[in-house]
Amino acid sequence: MKDLVNIQDYLFQVADVGDWEGEEEIVADRINAIYHAVWRRFPDDILSAEIDHLLNAIWNELRGSLVLLEADEDELVDWAICYVNNQIEEGIKLDDAADEEE
């Protein structure tokens, strides 16, 4: 359930994003803005394992990609919201350990 998870546990500090040749603060700010935007879109009954899966999947899609620096923040947020909505509509595929939470 969404109310059992704290978004603060997922937010990035500058040191967490890796080497972005001096642009680490921008990357951390953008991924955090994306996370806050999708957080507001998560249904209240979403499982904590699904939240974990989706937020990690967003980072996995974007990390190392210059799109985090080159794209407009609104475009990144729109992409992430669409991504999350599609994942939720299709049914989030979790591993066996996470399925036990259901």
Side-chain angles (χ1 to χ4, degrees):
M1 304 311 241
K2 183 177 169 180
D3 60 340
L4 299 175
V5 180
N6 186 346
I7 186 67
Q8 298 299 320
D9 294 337
Y10 290 93
L11 299 180
F12 283 81
Q13 300 294 320
V14 171
D16 298 330
V17 298
D19 181 20
W20 287 82
E21 298 180 6
E23 304 294 339
E24 293 83 3
E25 186 172 352
I26 292 170
V27 171
D29 287 346
R30 290 206 170 167
I31 197 70
N32 290 340
I34 291 166
Y35 279 9
H36 278 290
V38 298
W39 182 265
R40 290 188 294 272
R41 302 293 183 121
F42 286 150
D44 290 335
D45 63 346
I46 191 169
L47 300 173
S48 59
E50 292 172 330
I51 292 171
D52 186 69
H53 174 80
L54 290 170
L55 294 179
N56 286 321
I58 290 169
W59 176 242
N60 288 335
E61 288 289 327
L62 296 175
R63 72 175 174 194
S65 174
L66 290 178
V67 72
L68 274 170
L69 296 173
E70 295 171 351
D72 180 76
E73 187 173 301
D74 291 334
E75 292 173 328
L76 293 169
V77 166
D78 289 345
W79 169 83
I81 289 170
C82 287
Y83 177 82
V84 165
N85 288 341
N86 286 338
Q87 293 295 309
I88 290 171
E89 286 175 17
E90 293 175 9
I92 301 166
K93 188 86 168 150
L94 300 173
D95 62 21
D96 292 336
D99 285 340
E100 292 174 8
E101 179 184 346
E102 293 180 63

